[in-house]
């Protein structure tokens, strides 16, 4: 989707992606920060006008609804994808001679750093926006207990207990094999999503109890 946004921007300004420069990259980065997300009609009613209903903050988790602007995380992800895309074609010799999305620092971060000085934050990309520090969301204990009580099977209770105690992704927990659980060590082995490496995570004793009941 990030590449599609970039290609649509280049189609609008009538520039081939191989001929894009830092000027187009700068304009695109500025546009995606101040632009409004396109509103598309539902596929079941393409002729029906889109009605934007007001959205409210979740009173339980504190999660804010998606606004009409692109989120900072989406903008940062888009910059990373485009920089990697042009870096690949730059190495292969099929793209421009200069990456339109360059780094704001040298290839080696904190080169010749004095151990007595503190590390200063450095931005990875020249057009990468700063990410705001988000407060972790949480739900009250009473709401979690009510959610746990509404689960209909021991399997779901074990999955939720492992999810809360280990912090693993749902896809990682669903891929755990029977040999990956070690109740004696209170460890569970999962396959990480990105690196595909096997990693042992400590889990709560209650999670293994629900797993044994299942």
């Amino acid at each position: 989707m990030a590449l599609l946004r970039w290609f649509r921007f280049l189609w609008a300004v009538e520039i081939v992606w191989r001929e894009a420069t830092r000027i187009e990259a700068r304009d695109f980065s500025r546009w995606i920060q101040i632009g409004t997300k396109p509103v598309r009609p539902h596929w079941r009613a393409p002729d029906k006008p889109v009605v934007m209903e007001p959205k409210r903050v979740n009173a339980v988790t504190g999660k804010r609804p998606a606004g009409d602007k692109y989120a900072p995380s989406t903008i940062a992800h888009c910059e990373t994808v485009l920089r990697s895309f042009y870096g690949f074609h730059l190495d292969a010799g099929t793209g421009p001679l200069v990456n339109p999305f360059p780094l704001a620092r040298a290839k080696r971060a904190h080169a010749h750093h004095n151990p007595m000085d503190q590390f200063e934050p450095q931005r990875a990309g020249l057009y990468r926006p700063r990410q705001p520090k988000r407060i972790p969301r949480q739900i009250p204990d009473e709401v979690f207990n009510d959610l746990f009580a509404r689960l209909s099977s021991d399997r779901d209770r074990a999955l939720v207990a492992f999810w809360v105690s280990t912090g693993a992704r749902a896809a990682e927990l669903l891929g755990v094999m029977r040999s990956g659980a070690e109740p004696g060590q209170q460890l569970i082995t999962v396959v990480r999503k990105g690196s595909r490496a096997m990693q042992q995570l400590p889990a709560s004793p209650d999670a293994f109890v629900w797993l044994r009941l299942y």
Side-chain angles (χ1 to χ4, degrees), residues 169 172 191-197:
R169 297 179 177 90
E172 297 172 351
V191 179
R192 282 304 185 181
K193 177 182 178 182
S195 62
R196 308 304 299 174

Side-chain angles (χ1 to χ4, degrees), residues 158 161-167 173 182-183 185-189 200-208:
F162 278 117
W163 176 61
V164 172
S165 59
T166 62
L173 293 176
E182 299 183 11
Q185 302 294 330
Q186 294 186 8
L187 296 175
I188 185 171
T189 303
Q200 289 184 328
L201 302 176
S204 63
D206 295 339
F208 288 100

Side-chain angles (χ1 to χ4, degrees), residues 15-170:
I15 294 180
V16 184
W17 69 271
R18 293 185 179 89
E19 301 176 0
T21 62
R22 293 188 179 181
I23 297 178
E24 287 76 29
R26 179 200 60 191
D27 295 342
F28 172 78
S29 301
R30 184 55 181 166
W31 166 79
I32 198 174
Q33 294 182 39
I34 64 177
T36 304
K37 292 187 294 185
V39 180
R40 298 180 179 87
H42 197 274
W43 62 273
R44 292 181 178 177
D47 300 333
K48 186 178 180 180
V50 180
V51 179
M52 298 297 296
E53 299 180 356
K55 301 179 181 179
R56 300 179 180 179
V57 179
N58 193 312
V60 178
T61 62
K63 181 179 180 180
R64 296 182 177 275
D68 57 346
K69 304 289 184 180
Y70 289 101
S73 58
T74 303
I75 301 173
H77 173 74
C78 187
E79 189 271 341
T80 302
V81 170
L82 296 178
R83 177 160 40 85
S84 303
F85 171 77
Y86 277 100
F88 171 80
H89 285 282
L90 188 64
D91 296 337
T94 56
L97 298 178
V98 180
N99 194 331
F101 297 87
L103 292 174
R105 54 170 170 78
K107 293 184 178 180
R108 209 179 98 190
H110 306 294
H112 309 289
H113 176 261
N114 187 355
M116 301 299 294
D117 298 335
Q118 296 182 354
F119 285 93
E120 297 294 335
Q122 297 187 3
R123 298 172 64 186
L126 182 61
Y127 305 117
R128 188 182 184 88
R130 295 184 179 273
Q131 294 293 317
K133 295 183 179 180
R134 297 182 299 180
I135 301 177
R137 298 190 302 269
Q138 60 181 353
I139 62 176
D141 295 339
E142 297 78 8
V143 178
F144 176 78
N145 294 335
D146 182 66
L147 171 65
F148 198 84
R150 291 175 180 269
L151 298 177
S152 58
S153 64
D154 293 335
R155 174 184 178 272
D156 295 342
R157 298 184 185 96
L159 284 174
V160 172
F162 278 117
W163 176 61
V164 172
S165 59
T166 62
R169 297 179 177 90

